[in-house]
Amino acid sequence: MEDQGRLLQALSGVTLTGHSVQGTLGLEPPHIHDSIDRDERKQDIGSILHQIMTITDQSLDEAQAKKHGLNCHRMKPALFSVLCEIKERIGLSISGAQEEEPADAQLMRLDNMLLAEGVAGPEKGGAAAVAAAAAAAVGGMTDNSIEHTDYRAKLTQIRQIYHTELEKYEQACTEFTTHVMNLLREQSRTRPISPKEIERKVNIIHRKFSSIQMQLKQSTCEAVMILRSRFLDARRKRRNFSKQATEVLNEYFYSHLSNPYPSEEAKEELAKKCSITVSQVSNWFGNKRIRYKKNIGKFQEEANLYAAKTAVTATQAVAAAVHNGQDTSPATPNSGFQMKDEDFQLDAGDSKNSLLTTMFTGGYHTPYYESDSIQ
DNA sequence: GCATATGATTTGAT
DNA sequence: ATCAAATCATATGC
């Protein structure tokens, strides 16, 4: 009863000194309570608060001490690893081994595209812009270069934004990762968190951030595409080749009519002569071949023109040949036209020009350019 | 304004 | 990779 009394005293904050236990049990008349001094009660509350504070401090210290003791316990590492293992197993059995890497291919595609467009990869925008400006200054393509530099400038802009954003993301990712890692490492002193789990969590963070990066890449790609279609779609801004370039190309075409497939070297030379690209030469020959084949009649006049042209240049050689007593019998410019995997012979009926048809449909197989003849 | 010419691109085959 | 063929989109000439 004595013990109980003290305990109750401590808990209720009412001094029971001089009163019987019955009093604390509510057997005392109530008016006695009212008579207790208010100051005295305040003092009691203060002392209890103090006690509580002290207790809290003590228990914190105690807990800290206990924790430290546990941490230093020789069995702690073993216990920790066992707990980690158990946790690992539970985690695996719940979530299973779900590996999801479907976005990888798309990410690669985006990366490749950005690299191809010059948005990612080594810095070259400035140099290219300078080169373009220089080309413009030299001359040649005056109206084209302005748009091209404009395009370059916009591309550089996109590139800059892309890189700043990417850097920001990377920085945020590293920051967040280190923060989480520190947190987990700190917690691993009191919770079973294995390094493996930390690694996994870090991976999750990286995945999240890389998905954000992918969004950035995606929108950058879109921007570049729009820019391209606005500025670089050659079909929209097509310019005919110069008369001189067409001349050179036609000369080659009609003088190689039996095999109008310039080699890589020939293409390069033609490109240089015409100040166009090799692929433009390829395009031109591709178009020419198909269009010539489709309607040889339409091209008769042109063929004659260039045949005559080359004939003139060949005159000297012919003269020499005649002088040497060689055969100079006429050949036909278009009779031997040959497409790949196909022998294409001119049908006389196709031609609208009967004179030229009779002139050039002689059944000779020797292309005119290979003979030393003049018409 | 329209028909044709022409350079570029796409597609599918080899 | 290169080509033929079809197609697109602009240029040009009338």
Side-chain angles (χ1 to χ4, degrees):
Chain A
M1 270 307 185
E2 272 303 298
D3 276 14
Q4 193 184 5
R6 268 213 292 278
L7 186 65
L8 286 169
Q9 179 194 350
L11 289 174
S12 68
V14 175
T15 310
L16 296 174
T17 320
H19 293 291
S20 67
V21 172
Q22 280 86 354
T24 60
L25 295 176
L27 299 177
E28 202 77 21
H31 70 268
I32 294 178
H33 258 101
D34 295 344
S35 71
I36 294 169
D37 195 356
R38 281 173 191 276
D39 283 349
E40 197 182 328
R41 203 186 266 189
K42 260 188 196 164
Q43 207 180 338
D44 288 341
I45 291 169
S47 84
I48 284 160
L49 277 173
H50 178 72
Q51 273 183 47
I52 289 170
M53 294 299 284
T54 317
I55 286 166
T56 313
D57 283 351
Q58 279 173 349
S59 64
L60 264 178
D61 282 347
E62 232 172 274
Q64 210 67 37
K66 271 185 186 167
K67 231 162 69 181
H68 187 255
L70 280 172
N71 268 329
C72 295
H73 196 277
R74 62 191 173 84
M75 290 296 279
K76 191 251 172 184
L79 188 62
F80 185 82
S81 70
V82 166
L83 283 171
C84 279
E85 201 178 314
I86 290 167
K87 194 180 169 191
E88 193 85 10
R89 269 191 222 148
I90 291 168
L92 281 178
S93 67
I94 287 171
S95 65
Q98 46 167 349
E99 290 296 318
E100 32 156 347
E101 300 289 332
D104 217 38
Q106 205 192 341
L107 188 65
M108 277 245 289
R109 247 186 38 232
L110 289 173
D111 274 338
N112 285 338
M113 197 205 142
L114 289 172
L115 210 63
E117 292 301 331
V119 175
E123 176 72 48
K124 62 171 187 181
V130 168
V138 166
M141 41 155 192
T142 34
D143 52 334
N144 200 354
S145 62
I146 291 163
E147 278 173 25
H148 195 257
T149 44
D150 202 5
Y151 167 79
R152 271 279 154 211
K154 291 228 189 298
L155 192 66
T156 310
Q157 215 174 317
I158 289 174
R159 185 193 164 86
Q160 268 165 3
I161 292 168
Y162 171 76
H163 276 116
T164 2
E165 289 298 307
L166 201 66
E167 209 172 303
K168 250 192 259 172
Y169 287 154
E170 225 123 72
Q171 203 181 325
C173 183
T174 336
E175 248 169 55
F176 191 65
T177 305
T178 39
H179 178 70
V180 167
M181 266 168 74
N182 286 339
L183 216 63
L184 287 174
R185 264 206 279 272
E186 183 64 35
Q187 287 192 1
S188 75
R189 283 165 53 180
T190 51
R191 289 204 297 143
I193 301 170
S194 63
K196 210 170 160 187
E197 194 180 338
I198 293 177
E199 194 187 321
R200 209 163 37 231
K201 295 252 193 285
V202 166
N203 274 342
I204 289 167
I205 293 166
H206 282 172
R207 264 210 290 281
K208 292 281 176 206
F209 271 93
S210 80
S211 87
I212 294 169
Q213 270 191 13
M214 191 149 104
Q215 277 175 26
L216 172 71
K217 282 173 183 178
Q218 182 102 50
S219 37
T220 307
C221 273
E222 269 168 38
V224 171
M225 290 295 251
I226 290 164
L227 191 68
R228 261 181 91 80
S229 70
R230 281 266 286 285
F231 285 89
L232 280 196
D233 190 345
R235 287 201 285 205
R236 288 181 205 286
K237 301 277 169 201
R238 189 176 68 75
R239 295 271 176 278
N240 287 355
F241 295 155
S242 71
K243 200 127 177 113
Q244 193 189 347
T246 318
E247 199 115 318
V248 171
L249 293 167
N250 271 317
E251 249 170 60
Y252 188 98
F253 180 78
Y254 286 110
S255 63
H256 295 73
L257 210 49
S258 74
N259 186 35
Y261 298 89
S263 63
E264 196 57 36
E265 297 82 60
K267 277 182 195 171
E268 273 165 31
E269 204 185 316
L270 284 167
K272 206 168 139 192
K273 265 197 219 170
C274 303
S275 33
I276 56 176
T277 66
V278 173
S279 77
Q280 282 179 303
V281 172
S282 298
N283 282 342
W284 191 91
F285 273 87
N287 283 323
K288 191 73 184 181
R289 277 192 301 265
I290 205 75
R291 281 160 187 168
Y292 179 84
K293 181 193 155 185
K294 260 189 172 170
N295 192 355
I296 291 178
K298 202 170 73 181
F299 288 93
Q300 278 302 294
E301 214 171 326
E302 193 177 79
N304 292 335
L305 197 83
Y306 284 100
K309 223 173 222 187
T310 28
V312 169
T313 59
T315 308
Q316 287 85 0
V318 171
V322 168
H323 190 261
N324 292 338
Q326 286 168 358
D327 179 29
T328 57
S329 54
T332 58
N334 48 19
S335 63
F337 179 66
Q338 234 175 337
M339 297 271 280
K340 260 224 149 91
D341 295 341
E342 174 180 11
D343 226 345
F344 193 89
Q345 296 284 343
L346 169 65
D347 182 356
D350 271 357
S351 178
K352 305 274 189 294
N353 188 327
S354 58
L355 173 65
L356 288 168
T357 305
T358 38
M359 276 176 76
F360 294 113
T361 320
Y364 292 87
H365 223 69
T366 319
Y368 75 104
Y369 66 90
E370 279 174 0
S371 90
D372 315 47
S373 70
I374 6 168
Q375 297 295 323

